[in-house]
Amino acid sequence: MQIKKQQNKPVAKTSQVKSSASVSRKIPGDLYDAKLVRMLGLIVAAVGAVIYLQTLSFDFALDDYSAIVENRQTKQGTAAFFEIFKSSYRFGYTIQGDELYRPLSKAVFAVIWQFSPENAFPGHLLNLLFYALTGFLLFTTLCRYLKNNIYVPFIASLLFIAHPIHSEVVANIKSLDEIFAFFFFILSLNFVHRYLEENKMRDMVIACCSFFLSLLSKESSITFILIFPLFIYFFTDFEFSKNIKTSLTILIPAIIFLIIRQQVLKGNNAGPPAVADNSLMEVAGNFGAQRATAVMIMGMYLKLLVFPHPLVFDYSFNEIPNVTLSDWKFLLSFAIYLTVGIYAVMTFKKKNLLAFAALYFFITASVSSNILLIIGTNMAERLMYAPSFGFCFAIAVLLNKFINTEAVKTTVNSIGQFFAERKILVSLVSVIVLLYAGKTIAYSSVWKDNMSLYESGITGSPNSTRTHFYLGNAICKPDYYEKFPKAEQHKIIARGIDELKKSAEIYPSFSEPWGQLGVIYYKLKNLDSAMYYYNRALQVAPYIATIHNNVGTLYFERKMYNEAITAFAKATQLDPSYSEAWCNLGSAYGTMGQLDAAIQNFLEAVKWDPNNAMANKFLGITYQNKGDALNAKIYLDKAASLGMK
């Protein structure tokens, strides 16, 4: 007995030393070397980078214009950096009542614009890099939580990074908000695990700061509050009290964010979503029909996760007609989700990995599902970016369980050994990833510019009022049709007008096609038709500032200055940050010889957009006419620096 004890002592010491060394050499767990984890993480990142490499040559598209190219605040560059954190997301664009607060990505856009204006490449590069980093970080973080099981993290991460439903997120620069939100959440999750393992407050502070950045990226990150305890419960053995303490700590940045958001958006009442954007508003008075349609759309999301075809950038009214509680599409979707939900609840205590996947999906998809609350759109593939991880994780668990299930009996220390241990599983996953990659490359190519995207929308979503509006609007812009010979331009404009009329035909209460028809006829010098379509727009949406401004422009050209002033003033009342309307109002007063009133309005225009070259020029001229040479020089020099001679 004594001899055995003497023999056991050095063995125990040796074992302890080995364990200590392995912590520095390996990820948490006993089977997998840290170098292997890094190599596999780089493979995941490389797959994401290669799939979307073509996006580096893409132009701006779709929402890039409201967030970047046509956003006055963003285009102020670094000068607007701090103001962005005190403004709503779309502030600086001709949109009213914005209730989004996503300052982080917009601040990044402003910095990029400062150093590389009018250039889409830096934005696409940033999306690509952070998407690839997300793949690497997702895999390495999962390896921390899923000890001794490197295949599920690898498969889940690889499927996630290759899934075609993410095409919009990576190919559209504006969707950096989605990428940032998920990236900083995963980073936070990583440091939460470090805190749980090592109990260092520094790690918890970094986790909270990272989660705060996730919230500043997109409001839907608030759902991650419930994901932290879910990860801790399913994938660690820490006591319940430590889970609660950690989860309550992570609430601190969420509370701070909500307070800041409330203060920034105070008074920004956008009202309910428009029917053109969210078709569920067509049945706003019918709770059953609204929720039945929302559940059906969740079924459509599931279908796209399983079989990602066809993909389309827009599902606006009336591409997805509303259904009732008796419709089979609702019943099928409801039955599937109910079954999954019951299974998750029944296996929760057993820490079933499929239960985790289901709960993760339900929680992260909740705010975008239109079931709990009605949001600004009925369906958008980008909304499945974070929730899709739950689906990919579930597939990884099932493949790991049923394909090539021989247990790994030895420590896996190399890439070759990793792939050799479970050849069938790895081969099957490789086939899926190749299919995903092919679809992703093919579909993401339509995001190369607006025209390509909108043409694809007409095919993929032919009943959407917005796809026809987008295409018609793009076709009728001079920077598009003027590229063609004069003989073809008339036909191109005629097609654009037809698309806009089709948009209005699908939804007559959609003001934007009517307003754009007015713009087109104004450019064609057909002022009577322009006024007719502007009035049609105001009949359905009398609160649109841009239409009132355009009406004022028509009155101004007809030398009806009092009527023009009334229209311009209405535009500024509806949107006090509307720099162009203030400038037009100043021009009307200046034309009438009311120089003091003109200066007052020009100053408002410059206040809201310091880079408004026209406002600076007219302000300088007006000061010149008043004999104020000093102020005249200041603003004329500013106009000249902005390219306005």
Side-chain angles (χ1 to χ4, degrees):
M1 295 288 290
Q2 289 179 348
I3 294 175
K4 286 184 178 179
K5 286 182 179 179
Q6 289 173 352
Q7 289 176 339
N8 282 343
K9 284 181 180 179
V11 172
K13 288 180 181 178
T14 303
S15 175
Q16 184 65 33
V17 172
K18 181 179 179 181
S19 175
S20 178
S22 68
V23 170
S24 62
R25 187 174 64 86
K26 299 178 181 179
I27 61 166
D30 298 323
L31 291 182
Y32 306 114
D33 186 83
K35 183 179 179 181
L36 171 65
V37 171
R38 287 194 295 271
M39 290 299 295
L40 292 174
L42 288 173
I43 289 175
V44 175
V47 168
V50 170
I51 289 174
Y52 289 102
L53 194 62
Q54 65 176 334
T55 63
L56 295 180
S57 64
F58 289 2
D59 201 349
F60 295 105
L62 197 63
D63 291 336
D64 293 343
Y65 284 81
S66 62
I68 307 171
V69 182
E70 295 177 355
N71 191 290
R72 299 185 302 274
Q73 188 179 57
T74 304
K75 291 168 69 175
Q76 291 176 33
T78 55
F81 189 87
F82 293 106
E83 286 301 317
I84 286 171
F85 286 86
K86 298 189 290 183
S87 310
S88 64
Y89 183 62
R90 293 197 180 97
F91 182 84
Y93 183 67
T94 53
I95 191 170
Q96 298 161 237
D98 176 26
E99 290 186 322
L100 301 178
Y101 183 61
R102 303 172 186 177
L104 186 58
S105 58
K106 191 175 180 184
V108 171
F109 297 149
V111 172
I112 292 175
W113 192 272
Q114 175 74 31
F115 297 101
S116 188
E118 306 286 353
N119 186 1
F121 174 77
H124 285 299
L125 178 61
L126 197 63
N127 274 24
L128 182 68
L129 290 176
F130 268 91
Y131 188 68
L133 282 172
T134 298
F136 178 86
L137 185 62
L138 177 61
F139 170 68
T140 54
T141 301
L142 288 176
C143 285
R144 285 185 167 274
Y145 282 90
L146 278 78
K147 296 182 178 181
N148 299 331
N149 190 341
I150 200 169
Y151 286 95
V152 169
F154 182 71
I155 296 169
S157 302
L158 202 55
L159 293 178
F160 176 85
I161 212 71
H163 204 292
I165 206 169
H166 299 162
S167 297
E168 175 180 353
V169 170
V170 186
N172 195 202
I173 297 173
K174 171 266 169 193
S175 289
L176 183 64
D177 54 2
E178 299 279 359
I179 296 174
F180 270 1
F182 192 63
F183 172 82
F184 286 114
F185 159 65
I186 297 298
L187 184 61
S188 179
L189 197 62
N190 191 297
F191 277 96
V192 163
H193 191 277
R194 294 187 186 196
Y195 167 74
L196 292 170
E197 287 277 318
E198 302 174 20
N199 206 32
K200 292 181 179 178
M201 187 52 64
R202 175 197 63 190
D203 292 327
M204 194 67 223
V205 171
I206 296 174
C208 287
C209 291
S210 181
F211 183 47
F212 186 63
L213 292 176
S214 176
L215 291 161
L216 289 177
S217 300
K218 192 178 181 187
E219 305 92 326
S220 59
S221 294
I222 201 75
T223 60
F224 294 139
I225 288 174
L226 297 177
I227 303 301
F228 288 103
L230 204 66
F231 261 89
I232 297 170
Y233 171 76
F234 273 91
F235 304 122
T236 74
D237 294 323
F238 294 105
E239 59 273 16
F240 181 73
S241 60
K242 192 162 189 177
N243 189 341
I244 294 298
K245 179 183 176 182
T246 304
S247 300
L248 289 176
T249 304
I250 213 74
L251 272 175
I252 295 173
I255 293 170
I256 294 172
F257 167 77
L258 291 174
I259 292 172
I260 294 173
R261 181 180 183 275
Q262 193 275 332
Q263 289 300 311
V264 170
L265 298 182
K266 185 166 53 178
N268 275 30
N269 183 18
V275 173
D277 297 320
N278 189 333
S279 58
L280 274 69
M281 293 305 298
E282 185 191 25
V283 289
N286 189 333
F287 182 87
Q290 268 195 338
R291 268 51 188 188
T293 306
V295 170
M296 178 195 70
I297 290 172
M298 288 301 296
M300 294 174 64
Y301 281 135
L302 184 58
K303 178 261 177 187
L304 288 177
L305 288 170
V306 175
F307 184 70
H309 179 81
L311 297 173
V312 66
F313 78 93
D314 184 88
Y315 294 88
S316 300
F317 185 92
N318 189 31
E319 182 60 28
I320 306 174
N322 292 297
V323 299
T324 64
L325 294 171
S326 61
D327 193 286
W328 71 269
K329 295 177 183 177
F330 157 72
L331 294 173
L332 178 60
S333 299
F334 181 76
I336 293 172
Y337 280 111
L338 180 63
T339 301
V340 172
I342 291 173
Y343 177 82
V345 171
M346 291 180 64
T347 59
F348 181 82
K349 288 187 177 180
K350 297 178 182 179
K351 296 189 176 182
N352 184 295
L353 296 184
L354 292 176
F356 164 80
L359 292 171
Y360 172 91
F361 180 83
F362 287 146
I363 292 169
T364 54
S366 60
V367 294
S368 56
S369 67
N370 281 295
I371 295 174
L372 299 181
L373 70 159
I374 304 299
I375 62 172
T377 183
N378 55 331
M379 183 175 181
E381 289 155 14
R382 66 182 179 276
L383 301 181
M384 284 295 106
Y385 180 59
S388 66
F389 166 70
F391 170 81
C392 295
F393 187 84
I395 297 301
V397 170
L398 291 171
L399 291 174
N400 178 70
K401 183 176 181 180
F402 294 110
I403 305 297
N404 195 196
T405 58
E406 295 83 0
V408 179
K409 297 181 175 62
T410 59
T411 302
V412 178
N413 290 318
S414 68
I415 290 287
Q417 188 180 2
F418 172 83
F419 290 117
E421 287 286 347
R422 303 183 68 179
K423 294 180 181 177
I424 299 175
L425 175 63
V426 172
S427 298
L428 179 59
V429 171
S430 299
V431 171
I432 296 173
V433 169
L434 285 172
L435 291 172
Y436 276 0
K439 174 61 180 177
T440 301
I441 293 171
Y443 174 63
S444 61
S445 66
V446 307
W447 286 85
K448 64 181 180 180
D449 57 38
N450 271 340
M451 286 304 302
S452 174
L453 183 66
Y454 299 157
E455 290 283 9
S456 75
I458 295 297
T459 302
S461 190
N463 297 315
S464 164
T465 184
R466 277 206 173 274
T467 57
H468 291 281
F469 166 73
Y470 286 137
L471 182 59
N473 185 32
I475 286 175
C476 290
K477 287 187 174 180
D479 60 357
Y480 173 72
Y481 65 74
E482 286 180 355
K483 298 175 184 177
F484 296 88
K486 286 283 186 181
E488 294 182 34
Q489 290 182 15
H490 179 73
K491 293 181 180 179
I492 292 170
I493 294 172
R495 187 198 172 198
I497 290 173
D498 287 342
E499 291 293 341
L500 290 168
K501 289 181 177 179
K502 176 65 174 178
S503 172
E505 180 184 333
I506 292 173
Y507 185 52
S509 295
F510 184 23
S511 65
E512 292 187 42
W514 297 119
Q516 195 57 34
L517 283 166
V519 170
I520 293 165
Y521 280 108
Y522 170 76
K523 291 177 179 177
L524 294 174
K525 307 300 182 184
N526 188 339
L527 302 189
D528 289 336
S529 291
M531 184 64 81
Y532 168 79
Y533 284 112
Y534 286 150
N535 285 329
R536 286 294 302 267
L538 290 176
Q539 286 174 13
V540 297
Y543 49 83
I544 302 297
T546 53
I547 304 300
H548 286 283
N549 178 70
N550 292 347
V551 168
T553 301
L554 280 178
Y555 282 130
F556 188 89
E557 292 208 359
R558 289 174 168 174
K559 304 186 186 305
M560 301 169 66
Y561 300 121
N562 288 324
E563 290 82 355
I565 287 172
T566 300
F568 292 141
K570 182 66 175 178
T572 61
Q573 291 169 13
L574 292 167
D575 182 3
S577 68
Y578 197 173
S579 178
E580 289 82 0
W582 286 111
C583 183
N584 288 336
L585 190 55
S587 297
Y589 278 116
T591 303
M592 295 178 69
Q594 300 181 37
L595 301 187
D596 289 333
I599 288 173
Q600 180 182 350
N601 287 286
F602 287 139
L603 286 171
E604 282 291 325
V606 172
K607 167 189 168 184
W608 292 110
D609 183 7
N611 293 329
N612 187 329
M614 188 71 72
N616 279 282
K617 178 182 178 179
F618 288 169
L619 184 54
I621 291 173
T622 308
Y623 273 123
Q624 199 173 59
N625 291 337
K626 280 184 65 80
D628 188 341
L630 179 61
N631 277 317
K633 185 177 187 309
I634 290 173
Y635 290 103
L636 288 173
D637 286 349
K638 175 66 173 178
S641 71
L642 294 169
M644 179 67 70
K645 301 296 185 181

